[in-house]
């Protein structure tokens, strides 16, 4: 196997999603660059496994729904909707 083929396999190998084919194992053992990439990817995935997603504020859904209702009730500034069948474009503030 060559480096490009190994690079295609690295995410799955780092995540442990598939067993490393013998040719890939041999290549990684003999190629410092591919071994380093695999190691860095494994470290990154380990950090992501530890990451805790923040909880949204208690009233996030309520405020979002209110904002959507406001935007849907607002007339379009361009006279044309965004391609959404139910109303005008949402503006980014």
């Amino acid at each position: 196997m060559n480096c490009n083929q190994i690079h295609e396999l690295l995410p799955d190998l780092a995540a442990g999603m598939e067993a490393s084919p013998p040719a890939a194992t041999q290549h990684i053992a003999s190629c410092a660059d591919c071994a380093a990439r695999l190691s860095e990817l494994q470290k990154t995935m380990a950090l992501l496994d530890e990451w805790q997603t923040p909880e949204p504020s208690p009233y996030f859904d309520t405020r979002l729904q209110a904002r959507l209702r406001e935007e849907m009730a607002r007339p379009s500034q361009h006279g044309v909707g965004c391609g959404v069948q139910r109303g005008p474009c949402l503006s980014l503030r």
Side-chain angles (χ1 to χ4, degrees):
M1 295 188 94
N2 63 39
C3 292
N4 289 333
Q5 292 169 319
I6 296 299
H7 293 172
E8 292 290 320
L9 296 175
L10 285 179
D12 290 340
L13 295 175
M17 294 177 61
E18 66 179 57
S20 180
T25 303
Q26 289 173 343
H27 179 88
I28 292 168
S30 66
C31 178
D33 181 55
C34 288
R37 285 183 183 224
L38 177 60
S39 176
E40 289 300 316
L41 197 51
Q42 287 169 328
K43 289 176 189 176
T44 300
M45 288 185 168
L47 286 173
L48 289 172
D49 285 341
E50 294 173 11
W51 183 66
Q52 298 290 319
T53 57
E55 290 292 324
S57 66
Y59 298 105
F60 175 81
D61 288 333
T62 303
R63 289 193 314 259
L64 177 62
Q65 292 298 322
R67 177 69 191 274
L68 290 172
R69 281 191 299 276
E70 286 175 18
E71 291 294 331
M72 295 300 281
R74 198 164 125 192
S76 174
Q77 295 175 4
H78 305 290
V80 180
C82 285
V84 177
Q85 293 178 358
R86 293 181 38 147
C89 297
L90 292 176
S91 63
L92 299 176
R93 291 185 194 175

